[in-house]
Amino acid sequence: MNLKQLIEAPEKYIKNSFMIGFAGTSYPLLFLKKIRDYIQLQCGLKMLYIDMQDAELAQIRAQLEMSFLGHQNIYWLGDLSTLSLKNYMQWMTYLSNYKGPHSILFFTTKEFSDKNMKLISLPEQIDYIFFKDLLSLWSPEDRERLRYTAELIFKKVGVLSLDHVMQMVEYAQVLGSARSSFLNDWLTSIIKPESSLFNLSGALFAGDKRSFLKQWRQLQKDYEFPFWMSYFSEQFFRAYYYISCKKNNNHIEARKIGFRLPFSFLQKDWKKWEQSIFQDAHQRIVDIDFNLKNGGSEIMLEQVFLLFYT
């Protein structure tokens, strides 16, 4: 099950599923609130919230297992990964065996796989194509304005976190004719520059020489050389093991190691490469670090990039 399926048919999944978990590397507060509001509106069910920090399992089992005149509610348990390990395991065991009558939603940053639960993986970053699948979250009269503004923003930043998308929507609904000047003057102050780094490595891992070199010239001086060494070292390391996990159908571990890798690479570009190229690139970073301490040149880093577009 994925996010697009839930948005397209919330009643189908909520009313026929007792357990849906959202999983991600961090808790997207604004986005999950929007999802909850949308589900409640579309399904016409009451949504109740349980404070998991103060809740004892034994105290609320009766609430979750009892229904007044057969009425179904939706319970939101929040971020279960904030619980102690003992409490987390107790809750996951209980939820795995829960048979209704209500629907329960929760979020976690911890990895799990359970055939009795539907799991929706939330991406760390999304692009414009993914955003278009989210448009149904808003009213029909808002969608065209959001689509137009989103297209402009994504052209500038490439990818956004889910909560940045929620911020973007708030601005899009009030900008009006000032949209273009606002985006030119203020966008980079609102959206963290990390998205530019995702675009940079995304272009490199796509083998797009022209796009990569253009972005590299723009960003190169924004960070000190040690940052770039650390950044690309981590990117190559994660990419190597991500490909390994994907080839072995180890999707849970792939999602773990894929954190901070560019969205396009996670979706499709990983298929373009053999693992060995990232192993080679990572080793060259190690060699450059050694050589720099012995009189080497920083220009050697750009020779590493040649692996991906020659």
Side-chain angles (χ1 to χ4, degrees), residues 123-150:
E124 183 73 13
Q125 304 262 335
I126 67 170
D127 59 10
Y128 178 63
I129 294 175
F130 194 104
F131 172 77
K132 289 192 291 185
D133 291 336
L134 304 181
L135 279 171
S136 295
L137 292 173
W138 291 275
S139 63
E141 55 268 23
D142 287 335
R143 290 173 196 167
E144 189 57 38
R145 179 169 62 251
L146 294 180
R147 182 184 289 108
Y148 177 72
T149 303

Side-chain angles (χ1 to χ4, degrees), residues 197-208 212 215 231 235 262-265 269:
L197 296 177
F198 277 89
N199 294 341
L200 178 69
S201 54
L204 182 64
F205 292 170
D208 189 342
F212 173 76
Q215 294 180 65
Y231 174 74
Q235 289 284 292
F263 181 77
S264 56
F265 179 80
D269 287 339

Side-chain angles (χ1 to χ4, degrees), residues 234-266:
E234 181 189 25
Q235 289 284 292
F236 297 149
F237 176 86
R238 289 183 178 275
Y240 174 87
Y241 283 103
Y242 182 80
I243 293 175
S244 175
C245 291
K246 293 293 284 187
K247 286 184 174 180
N248 290 301
N249 294 317
N250 191 343
H251 301 299
I252 291 179
E253 289 301 318
R255 192 157 62 84
K256 284 183 181 179
I257 199 67
F259 175 58
R260 300 184 68 82
L261 287 174
F263 181 77
S264 56
F265 179 80
L266 299 178

